[in-house]
Amino acid sequence: MNLYKLPRHVAIIMDGNGRWAKLRGLPRVFGHREGAKTVEKTIKFANEIGIKHLTLYAFSTENWNRPKEEVEAIMSLLVEYINTKVPSLIEDNIKLRFMGRRKDLPEMILKTVQEGEEKTKNCSGMDLVVALNYSGRAEIVDAVNEIIKSGKKEITEEDFKNYLYLPDLPDPDLLIRTSGEQRISNFMLWQMAYTEFYFTPVLWPDFDENEFLKALYDYQNRERRFGRVTAVE
Ligand code: FPP
């Protein structure tokens, strides 16, 4: 592994929890619980090898349409994660950040999220971005509405970026999606213009260090040209 050629920002669509559970004859919720364990291990590993920004797609705006018990199970896993893991995030110097439409989040979730951000705000190591109630199109529309409110009549790409949920977050260099699906599913549409995509059939609960390393090796062997003729290092 070339530690000098690591992606700065890795985004992950954690897919396949439901199928992992179904394969074992278990309710879907068990898959999410197992998936939360993978979340913890992935964060630790990413931080150890020196990834600067890790973004995890935890819940999309469309996910509210899932059965009520499943939505509640995912939300309580998130709350449990924040409530119990913040001390270890601080110890590892990891800053927790949320990306999504905050105004539609249930009060209790929003409060927990804000507490997690507040407690880790002085951490200067890896950024851990949790996409929650997130939709790429909604993010773009929210940005446009903010621009309209500001009274601007014209805008550049550079300036547009300042209206996204996390303006200082660099674009993802690498997107990993587990479970064999090969689509972007409304994730970071603006930011992924030049992102390298890596798809693996492994279901999220089975994703481990070895699978993460495979994705990183694959990334390191790509030539990123950004529309130019020669590779950009
Ligand atoms: C996708 O699998 C997974 C989700 C929609 C939920 C992801 C949430 C967690 C792993 C919970 C904890 C998160 C954190 C950040 C602590 P799926 O249900 O779509 O699987 P399927 O496609 O096999 O049905």
Side-chain angles (χ1 to χ4, degrees):
M1 174 68 44
N2 180 352
L3 290 174
Y4 295 101
K5 225 182 134 189
L6 280 176
R8 244 195 337 162
H9 181 181
V10 178
I12 307 183
I13 302 182
M14 314 180 284
D15 200 3
N17 292 346
R19 274 162 285 169
W20 184 92
K22 196 169 172 217
L23 279 170
R24 289 159 180 78
L26 297 167
R28 294 177 56 82
V29 171
F30 280 69
H32 295 310
R33 216 173 282 163
E34 206 58 31
K37 291 186 200 160
T38 307
V39 165
E40 210 181 324
K41 286 185 263 178
T42 304
I43 294 167
K44 251 198 147 25
F45 184 62
N47 189 40
E48 276 165 15
I49 60 171
I51 303 288
K52 294 284 170 237
H53 314 271
L54 176 70
T55 298
L56 304 176
Y57 203 177
F59 200 84
S60 73
T61 50
E62 291 80 22
N63 286 152
W64 295 108
N65 299 321
R66 293 190 176 204
K68 190 165 163 273
E69 315 80 69
E70 186 172 343
V71 170
E72 281 172 1
I74 296 174
M75 288 298 155
S76 66
L77 280 170
L78 270 162
V79 169
E80 188 187 318
Y81 178 82
I82 299 168
N83 286 339
T84 59
K85 303 295 171 200
V86 161
S88 75
L89 291 180
I90 296 172
E91 205 170 297
D92 294 336
N93 202 18
I94 298 174
K95 188 191 284 184
L96 184 60
R97 310 181 68 186
F98 288 86
M99 179 173 74
R101 208 175 239 173
R102 292 179 184 237
K103 68 177 172 61
D104 295 336
L105 276 180
E107 188 57 35
M108 197 273 282
I109 309 284
L110 185 63
K111 202 169 147 272
T112 310
V113 159
Q114 283 168 338
E115 274 173 20
E117 286 180 317
E118 181 58 29
K119 287 184 185 153
T120 60
K121 70 171 187 225
N122 294 324
C123 295
S124 56
M126 187 176 81
D127 266 340
L128 167 61
V129 180
V130 177
L132 187 57
N133 195 30
Y134 181 83
S135 140
R137 286 185 178 174
E139 180 177 31
I140 292 170
V141 168
D142 286 352
V144 171
N145 281 322
E146 287 303 314
I147 294 164
I148 293 170
K149 271 193 230 155
S150 77
K152 287 200 172 102
K153 294 277 180 288
E154 206 179 313
I155 194 145
T156 60
E157 285 184 17
E158 238 357 90
D159 200 17
F160 184 83
K161 193 176 181 339
N162 293 325
Y163 291 89
L164 296 174
Y165 295 138
L166 299 176
D168 62 309
L169 186 68
D171 292 344
D173 302 294
L174 172 66
L175 168 76
I176 299 173
R177 182 170 188 153
T178 56
S179 93
E181 310 295 346
Q182 302 194 4
R183 52 179 176 265
I184 186 167
S185 296
N186 211 353
F187 195 38
M188 303 185 88
L189 297 179
W190 175 271
Q191 297 90 331
M192 288 208 194
Y194 286 102
T195 300
E196 297 290 332
F197 289 3
Y198 178 86
F199 300 107
T200 168
V202 170
L203 303 175
W204 178 249
D206 294 327
F207 188 82
D208 57 13
E209 287 186 9
N210 202 27
E211 293 300 330
F212 203 159
L213 282 172
K214 273 200 233 165
L216 296 173
Y217 276 127
D218 196 89
Y219 170 84
Q220 294 191 336
N221 289 316
R222 308 241 183 131
E223 188 190 2
R224 301 190 77 195
R225 289 204 298 270
F226 299 92
R228 281 172 274 208
V229 178
T230 48
V232 176
E233 283 297 318

